[in-house]
Amino acid sequence: MSAEIIDGKAFAGEVRRKVAAQVARLKAEHGITPGLAVVLVGEDPASQVYVRSKGKMTVEVGMNSFEHRLPAEAEEAALLALLDDLNADPAVHGILVQLPLPDHMDESSVINRIDPAKDVDGFHISNVGLLATGQKAMVPCTPLGCLMMLRDRHGSLSGLDAVVVGRSNIVGKPMAQLLLRDSCTVTIAHSRTRNIEDVCRRADILVAAVGRPEMITGEWIKPGATVIDVGINRIPAPERGEGKTRLVGDVHFDSAAQVAGAITPVPGGVGPMTIACLLANTLTACCRANGLPEPEGLTA
Ligand code: GUN
């Protein structure tokens, strides 16, 4: 193995410590406590775990956490009314509606009801447009976490060849926009890309966000490249016993680590950065709402 392992868990801990320090300063110097509201509709078990974890970490960095739960059969109008209340509440600086929503709700209508200035997920159409045009946006948390790790490793990303595998609205597209903003030459590869291995082999920076377990192997990677694996896939692991599973990324870690210069593991790579960046975004939203300078080192 030659690659340096990028420790996302440790990195996320540092981001949370920076957030906590700046939250403490906001309180001491301005009497302001950032607040994050998380809305969960229904009882999806994975979503419940995420929401609990978000609430716990929000409190740990010194912010106020507001949790709102609606039953799975709630009317969309009830959710929109709740969002109107949260938009109007000055104690709430960030709003996150946990996805997926029940089938009878329209995700776009719900997301676009959030005040863009409080849209800490960066999914509102205004934030998508602001990011694409290089203006001050709220940036989606997972790509923001990836960008922080890449800047930490490379310093300047200017002129580097970046390939993003996957074109989702949540990761692939905003990731490509952020890399472009940092002056990379950006390619988005996807399921219809021809000679995708050759495309990937050109990358100084390879970001995998396709949701296909271990699709990208060492042969696809340029020697010395930085590989960021956003995938979280649960696959059967009969070697661990009957019915057991394990988590893998979109990158085949063992072969990729022989070739790459640096690589994020799964678990313990990108995953922990997402919630840390949600907290960073909440702090950023709070500073902007109060006309204060942006928190240092925590924005795109
Ligand atoms: N569900 C899974 N990931 C996410 C995320 O990043 N944001 C929201 N709102 N819901 C999610």
Side-chain angles (χ1 to χ4, degrees):
M1 181 175 318
S2 66
E4 179 191 318
I5 312 296
I6 300 173
D7 186 345
K9 206 171 151 192
F11 205 115
E14 274 172 43
V15 170
R16 289 199 307 272
R17 270 190 295 282
K18 276 191 206 165
V19 170
Q22 299 193 42
V23 168
R25 243 179 55 200
L26 266 183
K27 282 188 202 181
E29 294 174 9
H30 303 278
I32 300 166
T33 303
L36 172 64
V38 174
V39 181
L40 175 61
V41 185
E43 267 110 50
D44 177 60
S47 291
Q48 287 185 344
V49 172
Y50 285 134
V51 167
R52 237 192 330 268
S53 176
K54 283 169 188 164
K56 185 168 158 275
M57 292 199 187
T58 304
V59 171
E60 276 173 13
V61 296
M63 296 183 182
N64 289 326
S65 169
F66 308 101
E67 216 174 282
H68 295 269
R69 289 169 184 261
L70 296 178
E73 62 280 6
E75 303 252 4
E76 185 176 303
L79 175 55
L80 297 178
L82 170 60
L83 293 176
D84 290 343
D85 289 345
L86 296 172
N87 285 339
D89 186 342
V92 173
H93 304 95
I95 302 170
L96 178 146
V97 177
Q98 185 66 32
L99 304 176
L101 290 169
D103 289 342
H104 67 280
M105 291 191 183
D106 179 54
E107 218 160 85
S108 297
S109 311
V110 170
I111 288 167
N112 291 328
R113 189 69 159 239
I114 299 170
D115 177 348
K118 297 189 178 188
D119 169 37
V120 282
D121 259 330
F123 295 163
H124 190 290
I125 195 72
S126 297
N127 281 314
V128 176
L130 289 167
L131 176 61
T133 52
Q135 300 179 73
K136 201 183 268 187
M138 294 304 307
V139 173
C141 305
T142 301
L144 177 57
C146 296
L147 183 75
M148 285 181 188
M149 293 194 285
L150 286 168
R151 283 178 175 169
D152 181 65
R153 174 156 180 85
H154 290 268
S156 167
L157 306 183
S158 180
L160 295 178
D161 278 314
V163 175
V164 180
V165 188
R167 52 177 157 178
S168 72
N169 291 332
I170 295 180
V171 182
K173 285 180 201 161
M175 186 76 250
Q177 294 290 359
L178 287 171
L179 291 165
L180 188 58
R181 241 168 58 160
D182 270 26
S183 303
C184 291
T185 302
V186 182
T187 304
I188 303 183
H190 48 77
S191 55
R192 302 293 171 89
T193 298
R194 282 177 288 162
N195 303 324
I196 191 166
E197 296 99 308
D198 293 338
V199 172
C200 289
R201 252 191 308 268
R202 289 205 302 265
D204 302 307
I205 290 170
L206 183 63
V207 181
V210 262
R212 283 170 154 265
E214 301 180 319
M215 179 178 96
I216 294 167
T217 64
E219 288 165 16
W220 297 33
I221 293 168
K222 176 175 174 174
T226 300
V227 178
I228 305 288
D229 190 353
V230 182
I232 299 178
N233 310 287
R234 195 166 278 288
I235 62 166
E239 73 280 4
R240 293 188 177 181
E242 201 185 309
K244 297 282 186 199
T245 60
R246 65 190 176 99
L247 287 182
V248 298
D250 294 343
V251 177
H252 184 268
F253 184 83
D254 289 343
S255 64
Q258 307 281 334
V259 187
I263 185 167
T264 60
V266 176
V270 174
M273 286 296 284
T274 299
I275 295 184
C277 287
L278 172 68
L279 303 173
N281 274 350
T282 304
L283 174 63
T284 300
C286 178
C287 290
R288 288 179 184 169
N290 288 283
L292 296 167
E294 308 255 312
E296 266 166 50
L298 296 171
T299 56

